């Protein structure tokens, strides 16, 4: 036993074989780093909302289209259904970048509005204040710990006054830990629910008009079967709630909080949503990289450790002792790699957080459960890495190793298979990266029906200051034009849902002045030159209502008068990009007595310098956004996935390349006698070089053939999620195969060249 635990010879072996050590430790360390990061991220995702002790009694009420309700609905539900113990309406995720002022300090904040029952429902930890009193009064607010530090530093925030959005006055009555690992979006400031009316009157507690911004949390009594109320609730809503009266919604969805995060029950929710498919992709790719590292270890150990272990056999070690030594050595190397992997993971956490748009908490690795998991991971990877080499080497005859026949027997069987496998995965990942990048570029550059270049959008100012403010903007040399609007693509519009001949239609209404219209490059296809008030309809609205081009008006159900058609405007993607689909639009020009929601500014010259100049005029309260940047940001999730796949592809390629480089070295050493014989019988250096290089490139060609159906299956499935998509071009396959071929050629050429130009006498002398 003492002899088994003596690793002195193993460390000498690692020191003498630096390439072997570097490739194994680098591959295992990097792969274990990814495994740790993905494991922590996956556990965080799967544990979302699980820490709430009442999670099994908390439900969300929505419909088949969105998991939200009108503001008054939660209270009406509590009055009607006796099993409902409490309700907690929440408006979150829609009130970001609101200016919050305290004394002479001013910060932008994510503001959430919640009922006084919020801390009865959810177990977010209060650092100051009590759960019962934190939101007890209508003017109370709770701030997050990070916001309190930004706003007040080390001063006590309790009792401090806040002004939220220039209209809401509140007193801080609690400090809560940052809202993490929850469906509820992170909030800097939580204000009492009733106060939301001062920012948006349609969200006041007695309103039903805005049906998509209020998350209705319901806490039911133990043993209640609240989801069974869905059908009764849908019939009841038809009596007074417009989405059900107009047919926009037909069903009531009652979703348990524990299922909300990964649920696909509705297409829209202001709450945070997880992507289980994305989690699976991360886990799969991380596992593949770990397999690559294990394969490299197996290949190199079989190639390198044979002679050392044969010597031990000749000195009296049994097969069992050799087997155990190889298993212990692989476990020790895995443990060393794990330590390095943990340090690497801690170093790249900021990059990972930015890439995944989350907070990966690596501190959990110090908990007993995670320490046990790390020990288990070390043993598992060590066993997987060492098992095959241990079986092969311990069962071989020492004389085979000494003669050199051992390498030929083992490498012909295992190494070629592993090289082909690595190349299949590498080609597949390269093709996936190319496909994703091409698809994202295709969508970003897709015609959306409006202009975005050099256009800045910002919230409007108070109507009393509007005229002077617009004049000040026009006075800037970097500003070409200024327009006013109620609604902008990418920034939202007014939704008017109605029925036409029994058909449900959700119109997006845009009201803007001529300057804004011209800047966006919208196009009126037909102008009916009305002398009375009317609306322009887009082509999609005309199609959905099956109206002829010369139709003068249309009559909506439940309306007393027809609506005059002012003309037809060309289709544009009013929600921003081509993934959102085309929507029916009602458009007209802004009247002089109507107040705009937003201001659109066309800049000239350097756009970034123009933005800085405009922000100096507007101040902190009115940050401006480039529309082309906003359009690109609307593809954030797709871009993020592509970046992740590219990062994994680069790492996989690097590990594969190092493994191929090492294996080519030993494989060519194995064939050195064959090379010498060929040279003696007249083969030229060029002929031998070509033969050696093509031996390895043949594996790439085999891998390419195997990878083609794999790429087609997965990429066709991924592309099917997009209505506006690229075709899976053969050029993608060819590019991936050629790239893998080139890196394989580069990795084996140098070793092959040395072998082809070597003196055959040296090889025979070495053999003898």
């Amino acid at each position: 036993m003492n002899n088994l635990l003596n690793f002195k010879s193993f460390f000498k072996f690692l020191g003498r074989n630096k390439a072997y050590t570097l490739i194994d430790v680098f591959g295992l360390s990097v792969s274990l780093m990814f495994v740790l990061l993905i494991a922590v991220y996956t556990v965080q995702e799967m544990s979302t909302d699980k820490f709430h002790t009442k999670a099994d009694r908390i439900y969300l009420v929505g419909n088949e289209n969105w998991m939200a309700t009108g503001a008054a609905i939660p209270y009406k539900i509590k009055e009607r259904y006796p099993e409902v113990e409490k309700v907690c309406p929440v408006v979150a995720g829609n009130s970001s970048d609101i200016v919050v002022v305290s004394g002479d300090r001013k910060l932008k904040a994510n503001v959430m509005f919640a009922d006084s029952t919020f801390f009865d429902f959810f177990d977010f930890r209060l650092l100051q204040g009590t759960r019962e009193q934190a939101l007890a009064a209508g003017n109370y607010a709770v701030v997050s710990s990070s916001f309190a530090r930004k706003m007040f530093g080390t001063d006590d925030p309790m009792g401090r006054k806040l002004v939220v959005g220039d209209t809401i006055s509140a007193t801080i009555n609690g400090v809560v830990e940052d809202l993490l690992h929850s469906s509820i979006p992170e909030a800097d400031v939580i204000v009492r629910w009733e106060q939301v009316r001062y920012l948006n009157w349609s969200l006041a507690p007695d309103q039903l008009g805005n049906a998509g911004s209020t998350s209705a949390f319901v806490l039911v009594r133990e043993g209640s079967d609240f989801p069974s109320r869905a059908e009764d609730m849908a019939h009841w809503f038809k009596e007074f709630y417009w989405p059900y009266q107009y047919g926009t919604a037909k069903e009531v969805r009652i979703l348990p909080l524990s299922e909300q995060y990964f649920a696909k029950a509705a297409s829209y929710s202001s709450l945070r949503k997880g992507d289980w498919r994305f989690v699976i992709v991360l886990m799969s790719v991380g596992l593949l990289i770990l397999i690559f590292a294990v394969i490299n270890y197996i290949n190199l150990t079989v190639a390198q450790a044979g002679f050392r272990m044969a010597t031990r056999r000749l000195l009296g070690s049994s097969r069992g002792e050799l087997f155990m030594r190889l298993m212990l050595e692989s476990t020790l190397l895995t443990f060393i790699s794990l330590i390095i992997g943990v340090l690497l993971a801690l170093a790249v956490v900021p990059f990972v957080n930015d890439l995944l748009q989350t907070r990966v908490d690596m501190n959990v690795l110090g908990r007993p459960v995670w320490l046990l998991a790390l020990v288990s991971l070390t043993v598992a990877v060590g066993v997987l890495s060492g098992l095959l080499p241990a079986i092969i080497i311990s069962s071989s005859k020492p004389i085979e190793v000494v003669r050199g026949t051992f390498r030929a027997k083992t490498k012909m069987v295992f190494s070629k298979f592993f090289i082909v496998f690595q190349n299949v995965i590498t080609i597949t990942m390269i093709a996936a990266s190319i496909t994703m990048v091409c698809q994202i570029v295709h969508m970003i550059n897709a015609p959306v029906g409006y202009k975005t270049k050099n256009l800045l959008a910002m919230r409007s100012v108070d109507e009393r200051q509007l005229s002077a403010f617009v004049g000040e903007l026009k006075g800037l040399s970097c500003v070409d034009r200024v327009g006013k609007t109620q609604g902008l693509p990418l920034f939202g519009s007014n939704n008017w849902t109605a029925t036409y001949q029994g058909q449900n239609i959700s119109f997006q209404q845009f009201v803007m002045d001529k300057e804004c219209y011209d800047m966006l490059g919208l196009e009126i296809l037909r102008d009916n030159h009305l002398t009375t008030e009317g609306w322009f309809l887009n082509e999609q609205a005309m199609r959905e209502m099956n109206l002829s081009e010369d139709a003068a008006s249309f009559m909506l159900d439940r309306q007393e008068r027809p609506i005059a058609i002012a003309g037809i405007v060309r289709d544009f993607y009013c929600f921003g990009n081509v993934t959102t689909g085309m929507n029916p639009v009602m458009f007209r020009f802004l009247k002089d007595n109507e107040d705009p929601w937003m201001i659109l500014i066309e800049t000239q010259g350097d756009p970034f310098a123009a933005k800085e100049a405009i922000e100096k005029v507007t101040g902190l309260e009115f940050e401006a956004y480039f529309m082309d940047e906003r359009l690109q940001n609307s593809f954030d999730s797709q871009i993020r996935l592509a970046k992740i796949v590219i990062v994994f592809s680069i790492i996989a390629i690097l590990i594969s390349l190092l493994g191929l480089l090492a294996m080519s070295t030993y494989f060519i050493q194995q064939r050195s006698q064959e090379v010498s014989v060929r040279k003696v019988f007249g083969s030229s250096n060029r002929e031998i070089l070509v033969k050696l290089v093509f031996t390895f490139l043949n594996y790439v060609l085999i891998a390419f053939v195997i990878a083609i159906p794999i790429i087609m299956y997965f990429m066709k499935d991924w592309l099917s999620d997009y209505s506006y998509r690229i075709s899976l071009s053969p050029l993608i396959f060819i590019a991936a195969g050629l790239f893998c071929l080139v890196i394989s050629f580069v990795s084996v050429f140098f070793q092959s060249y040395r072998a082809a130009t070597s003196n055959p006498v040296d090889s025979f002398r070495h053999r003898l």
Side-chain angles (χ1 to χ4, degrees):
M1 185 66 180
N2 290 334
N3 188 45
L4 284 176
L5 296 177
N6 184 1
F7 294 105
K8 185 177 180 180
S9 64
F10 178 56
F11 286 118
K12 283 185 178 179
F13 167 74
L14 294 179
R16 284 196 296 264
N17 296 272
K18 294 181 175 59
Y20 167 89
T21 305
L22 176 64
I23 292 170
D24 277 344
V25 172
F26 173 81
L28 285 172
S29 298
V30 172
S31 60
L32 288 171
M33 173 194 74
F34 278 111
V35 168
L36 291 175
L37 289 167
I38 292 169
V40 173
Y41 172 75
T42 301
V43 170
Q44 285 183 185
E45 290 290 283
M46 294 178 66
S47 61
T48 298
D49 290 323
K50 298 296 190 295
F51 64 94
H52 300 302
T53 55
K54 299 174 184 175
D56 60 332
R57 296 196 289 132
I58 299 174
Y59 293 87
L60 272 164
V61 178
N63 57 58
E64 69 272 25
N65 301 314
W66 58 84
M67 285 308 298
T69 68
I73 291 296
Y75 302 112
K76 290 181 177 293
I77 289 174
K78 186 177 184 304
E79 292 175 1
R80 180 177 176 87
Y81 298 104
E83 65 267 38
V84 175
E85 185 177 321
K86 295 177 182 178
V87 295
C88 183
V90 171
V91 173
N94 297 321
S95 303
S96 60
D97 291 339
I98 292 178
V99 176
V100 176
V101 180
S102 181
D104 59 351
R105 292 282 293 161
K106 183 186 294 186
L107 290 175
K108 285 184 178 178
N110 292 320
V111 180
M112 181 169 72
F113 297 88
D115 195 274
S116 60
T117 58
F118 183 79
F119 290 105
D120 292 335
F121 274 65
F122 307 108
D123 293 334
F124 298 112
R125 191 162 73 96
L126 278 169
L127 304 178
Q128 291 182 262
T130 64
R131 311 188 75 82
E132 296 78 14
Q133 294 297 317
L135 292 172
N139 66 331
Y140 282 170
V142 174
V143 296
S144 70
S145 56
S146 59
F147 181 80
R149 286 192 298 272
K150 290 178 186 176
M151 179 66 85
F152 305 109
T154 57
D155 295 340
D156 186 2
M158 293 293 285
R160 296 293 189 96
K161 303 294 184 182
L162 296 178
V163 177
V164 180
D166 291 329
T167 57
I168 298 173
S169 297
T171 301
I172 298 176
N173 197 45
V175 179
V176 66
E177 274 189 337
D178 291 358
L179 309 187
L180 302 177
H181 314 313
S182 174
S183 296
I184 297 173
E186 290 188 51
D188 298 310
V189 182
I190 305 174
V191 181
R192 267 287 292 265
W193 162 253
E194 295 84 354
Q195 301 274 31
V196 72
R197 72 173 78 228
Y198 299 112
L199 285 183
N200 187 338
W201 65 268
S202 70
L203 295 176
D206 58 346
Q207 296 295 312
L208 290 172
N210 190 326
S213 295
T214 302
S215 298
F217 291 99
V218 176
L219 179 66
V220 302
R221 305 183 195 282
E222 292 188 13
S224 302
D225 183 16
F226 188 60
S228 65
R229 296 288 197 178
E231 187 174 349
D232 173 75
M233 204 176 293
H235 289 296
W236 174 48
F237 283 165
K238 289 180 182 178
E239 298 176 9
F240 63 92
Y241 191 23
W242 69 265
Y244 293 85
Q245 291 176 327
Y246 289 158
T248 305
K250 296 179 175 61
E251 302 175 18
V252 168
R253 296 285 174 88
I254 299 177
L255 187 65
L257 176 63
S258 57
E259 299 177 10
Q260 193 283 143
Y261 190 63
F262 288 116
K264 295 183 179 179
S267 59
Y268 170 77
S269 172
S270 60
L271 302 178
R272 289 181 62 244
K273 300 289 291 182
D275 187 344
W276 181 245
R277 187 176 178 182
F278 178 69
V279 173
I280 294 297
V281 168
L282 279 185
M283 289 193 296
S284 301
V285 177
L287 183 61
L288 284 174
I289 289 179
L290 181 59
I291 291 173
F292 272 28
V294 170
I295 287 173
N296 283 348
Y297 181 88
I298 292 171
N299 271 335
L300 293 176
T301 301
V302 171
Q304 280 287 81
F307 190 85
R308 182 167 61 94
M309 292 301 163
T311 304
R312 287 186 173 276
R313 284 290 305 278
L314 291 173
L315 294 175
S317 296
S318 66
R319 288 185 178 181
E321 287 176 339
L322 291 183
F323 182 91
M324 288 303 300
R325 172 165 285 279
L326 285 165
M327 296 294 287
L328 289 172
E329 286 178 358
S330 65
T331 303
L332 175 62
L333 198 65
T334 302
F335 176 73
I336 295 170
S337 301
L338 179 67
I339 299 299
I340 299 173
V342 170
L343 296 176
L344 290 174
L346 293 173
V348 302
V349 161
F351 171 75
V352 172
N353 288 343
D354 181 64
L355 192 61
L356 298 178
Q357 293 297 294
T358 187
R359 295 192 201 179
V360 177
D361 182 12
M362 298 302 292
N363 293 325
V364 299
L365 295 180
R367 297 176 184 174
V369 174
W370 280 95
L371 290 175
L372 179 61
L374 291 178
V375 172
S376 302
L377 177 65
T378 303
V379 173
V381 175
V383 169
L384 288 172
S385 301
L387 183 60
L388 188 57
I391 292 173
I392 295 172
I393 294 174
S394 65
S395 62
S396 64
K397 296 178 181 179
I399 194 63
E400 291 178 342
V401 180
V402 175
R403 287 177 178 174
T405 57
F406 168 73
R407 284 183 179 176
K409 289 172 62 178
T410 56
K411 288 181 64 58
M412 294 300 288
V413 177
F414 296 104
S415 297
K416 292 180 181 179
F417 169 78
F418 287 142
I419 290 170
V420 170
F421 176 78
Q422 283 186 322
N423 282 325
V424 168
I425 302 302
T426 302
I427 292 171
T428 302
M429 294 185 70
I430 293 171
S433 301
I434 295 172
T435 304
M436 289 181 175
V437 170
C438 290
Q439 172 63 19
I440 291 167
V441 171
H442 181 65
M443 292 189 297
I444 290 175
N445 295 327
V448 290
Y450 57 90
K451 297 177 182 177
T452 60
K453 190 173 180 59
N454 294 331
L455 294 182
L456 279 169
M458 56 176 289
R459 289 185 293 113
S460 184
V461 300
D462 186 272
E463 58 179 309
R464 293 167 295 184
Q465 305 170 357
L466 182 59
S467 180
F469 182 69
V470 170
E472 192 172 0
L473 287 175
K474 288 182 177 179
L476 296 174
S477 59
C478 58
V479 172
D480 189 14
R481 290 182 288 183
V482 179
K484 295 167 284 189
T485 180
Q486 293 180 353
L488 267 179
L490 294 167
F491 291 88
S493 57
N494 182 51
N495 174 271
W496 184 29
T497 301
T499 55
Y500 175 76
Q501 297 181 356
Q503 175 188 357
N504 180 55
I505 299 180
S506 290
F507 293 101
Q508 301 304 313
Q509 294 182 328
F510 291 87
V511 181
M512 61 185 67
D513 63 13
K514 188 66 167 56
E515 286 82 359
C516 186
Y517 167 86
D518 289 337
M519 282 188 278
L520 290 173
L522 302 181
E523 183 181 356
I524 293 177
L525 300 176
R526 179 186 177 90
D527 192 340
N528 293 336
H529 302 288
L530 296 183
T531 57
T532 58
E533 185 174 318
W535 287 89
F536 288 90
L537 301 180
N538 71 336
E539 298 166 282
Q540 180 67 20
M542 299 293 287
R543 286 192 294 268
E544 289 195 16
M545 292 190 290
N546 198 26
L547 296 173
S548 62
E549 288 187 8
D550 58 353
S553 65
F554 63 99
M555 185 75 177
L556 295 175
D557 300 347
R558 301 173 184 265
Q559 297 293 315
E560 297 180 358
R561 293 182 298 175
I563 299 174
I565 299 176
I568 302 173
V569 65
R570 188 179 295 280
D571 280 339
F572 61 94
Y573 288 93
C574 54
F575 285 120
N577 65 56
V578 293
T579 66
T580 58
M582 195 65 68
N583 296 85
V585 168
M586 299 177 69
F587 170 87
R588 67 174 174 81
F589 289 105
L590 191 73
K591 299 174 184 176
D592 292 337
N593 61 345
E594 291 179 313
D595 298 326
W597 307 338
M598 302 195 73
I599 294 173
L600 189 65
I601 307 165
E602 185 175 38
T603 66
Q604 53 188 358
D606 183 355
F608 298 102
K611 184 179 179 182
E612 289 182 4
I614 291 168
E615 286 182 348
K616 286 180 181 178
V617 171
T618 58
L620 177 67
E621 296 89 339
F622 303 104
E623 185 174 351
Y625 302 89
F626 278 116
M627 288 195 68
D628 52 359
E629 284 186 357
R630 188 86 166 197
L631 178 60
Q632 182 169 325
N633 292 341
S634 67
F635 296 104
D636 267 352
S637 61
Q638 293 91 346
I639 293 173
R640 190 164 63 249
L641 178 60
K643 285 181 179 178
I644 290 168
V645 173
I646 290 171
V647 168
F648 278 124
S649 298
I650 292 171
I651 297 299
I653 290 168
L654 184 57
I655 294 175
S656 179
L657 186 147
L658 289 173
L660 187 61
L661 177 63
M663 290 315 301
S664 66
T665 302
Y666 301 122
F667 192 71
I668 289 169
Q669 286 176 0
Q670 169 195 313
R671 300 187 64 178
S672 60
Q673 189 173 19
E674 177 191 338
V675 170
S676 299
V677 171
R678 286 181 179 276
K679 294 184 75 170
V680 168
F681 282 94
S683 294
S684 66
N685 290 349
R686 180 179 179 181
E687 290 173 339
I688 292 173
L689 177 63
V690 170
K691 183 173 180 60
L692 289 174
V693 170
F694 269 89
T695 298
F696 277 91
L697 297 189
N698 283 336
Y699 303 148
V700 179
L701 296 176
I702 295 170
F704 179 71
V705 173
I706 297 172
I708 287 175
I710 298 174
I711 296 167
M712 290 183 65
Y713 175 80
F714 285 105
M715 288 297 95
K716 279 188 175 181
D717 181 64
W718 184 75
L719 288 171
S720 66
D721 290 340
Y722 302 98
S723 57
Y724 188 85
R725 58 179 177 265
I726 62 171
S727 59
L728 203 55
S729 170
L731 293 176
I732 294 174
F733 299 89
I734 294 171
L738 284 176
F739 186 82
C740 190
L741 195 69
V742 169
I743 63 175
S744 298
F745 174 80
V746 170
S747 64
V748 303
F749 177 81
F750 180 70
Q751 296 296 337
S752 299
Y753 179 79
R754 286 182 60 185
T757 57
S758 64
N759 190 337
V761 174
D762 294 336
S763 177
F764 288 121
R765 183 185 296 119
H766 179 72
R767 285 288 176 181
L768 295 172

